[in-house]
Amino acid sequence: MRKGTAQTKTIRFCFKKPLAVLAAAATLLVTQLPALADGTGVPVMTGYTVTTNHSSDLIQHSTDSNGNVIPMTDNQYMNIDVTFNKPIQATPDAASDLAITLSGSTSGSYINPAAPDDSSQNITDPFSKHVTATASGNILHIVFYYGFAQYMGGLTIKPAAANGTVTKITGTDGTPVQWSNISCLVPNGIKLSTVDQTPANPAAGVTASVTKQVINPQSATRGAVWYVFLKNGQPVGSFSPTSGSFAAHYHMYLTLDAKTYASYFPSGFKTKYGSQYTLTATGDTITVTSNKNADGTIADAAGDVLDVLVYAYPRDRDTGADKTGLSTAISKASAFGAANYTAASYAAVKKQLAIASSMNSSIYYLQPEIDAQVSTLNTAVSNLVTVAQQQAVDDFIASVATLPANVSLQDAAMVSGLADTYAKFTDAQKALVSSATLHTLQTAEDQIQTLENSVLNPVSSVPDNSSPSSSASSDVSSAVVSNPKTGESTSVFMPTAVLLAGAAIMLLTAGYKKRRG
């Protein structure tokens, strides 16, 4: 018995030991896997974002031509968030580990706090005096006050040490981070939103065009804003990786509105593209249109697509957007031919297909823009209407138009049938039916419901000249009857049994007609 007990204990001991070993191994794997993944324990920089803003805690004013004192500039700054693959820490003077240049310079002009409105007393400082760097989780947050303007907007941030190392930004274990140099065109906050794009259609005499809305947020700062002008996803004419296609520059950012800024576009654009394209500003929108040939013919090829984008980080390089979904949507849409569908619904697919194809061949679109175009193209395909479906809609609309202003129970079958027809339409078909037509049908349904309710629930009463005490009064009911020819209504008094019998016959007749229909 003891031997057996000893054997049992030994078996249990041997069973528990591997579990403990496995648990320890799993813990080691989980805690050390991140370090094993990149080969070292060094925090590796994985990306960054750059935005601009300004603060009114220090403002410089100037006087305009009318003698009015207006705000000229204030404290402008950049927020640069640098992401690492693991948590980091930074010393209070971590910014000294980094060297910053803006438009090739390491210093700039700043407002003198002692005499903010006297521009002659502006001070020149190295950028290093106006930079802070703090760590939070796996993000290094850099704030850089840069003075009066971004100018060309080229920003670089790299280690200050000649050997390219940083020592004051480390992992939580004190290991210096692995830094990748930052180089980008800083976005100053101005944005463009697409209002419409029209692909070229020479057969219909339509030139390619694009309309953009200028968005000027309160956070926008002073500087030259660079733009890239695209045709079928590629830059038109000469193009610079450091300054895009053209610029629209402004100074008075504190008082600038979108409408005023939009008016700055035409002159700079015309200088470079005026012989082939025209840019016009209307309110807060700009529109670029291809010019026709001298003989009036369309210079564009069928399906040519134009676009104008702000050329700044992260669009100042290949965005690396995933276009798998876009390619799939393009292939799906391309499989539909024009012959089986209405001209209007197929034209919508053709338009979005051209825009999607231009985006698919470009490196300048961001992931949200790619995803939005996938959705738009798929929606256009979903809204395709066959010729037969359009005919069904036309017949439905025509039938609703024949309904009298005041329907009777004799129209119940027709009204019910029209309601059923509409319910079976696809979403694309329903979109072709006007609100006025739907209102007419709904009014008819409401009238039928009211008539049926009045028949099934008659009002018990007696004529005004009848004696309330008459024993026959309880057997008398009234109903409102409409003349289908004149539309006039009158109250009819008759025995309740007769009224109910008549109502039953009318309902049976209506049901029979509905089934026949």
Side-chain angles (χ1 to χ4, degrees), residues 492-516:
V492 177
F493 295 89
M494 63 184 70
T496 300
V498 174
L499 181 60
L500 292 177
I505 293 172
M506 284 189 289
L507 290 176
L508 289 172
T509 301
Y512 174 73
K513 289 182 178 180
K514 182 176 181 181
R515 288 192 297 274
R516 286 286 302 273

Side-chain angles (χ1 to χ4, degrees), residues 365-384:
Y365 289 95
L366 305 177
Q367 193 64 55
E369 295 167 332
I370 295 293
D371 295 342
Q373 185 56 34
V374 170
S375 177
T376 301
L377 179 55
N378 286 338
T379 297
V381 170
S382 299
N383 288 338
L384 278 170

Side-chain angles (χ1 to χ4, degrees), residues 256-268:
L256 188 72
D257 56 40
K259 179 179 178 180
T260 302
Y261 180 57
S263 69
Y264 295 166
F265 277 78
S267 59

Side-chain angles (χ1 to χ4, degrees), residues 451 454 461 477-484 486-494 499:
L451 291 172
S454 68
S461 64
S477 297
S478 67
V480 178
V481 179
S482 297
N483 187 321
T486 66
E488 297 179 348
S489 300
T490 184
S491 295
V492 177
F493 295 89
M494 63 184 70
L499 181 60

Side-chain angles (χ1 to χ4, degrees), residues 28 59 92 98 119 124 127 148 196 200 214 255 265 268 292 351 358 376 398 400 407 444 448 503:
L28 181 65
I59 303 177
L98 305 173
S119 60
T124 299
F127 292 146
F148 281 85
D196 187 37
V214 176
T255 56
F265 277 78
K292 293 183 179 180
K351 173 182 178 177
S358 70
T376 301
V400 172
V407 297
I448 292 295

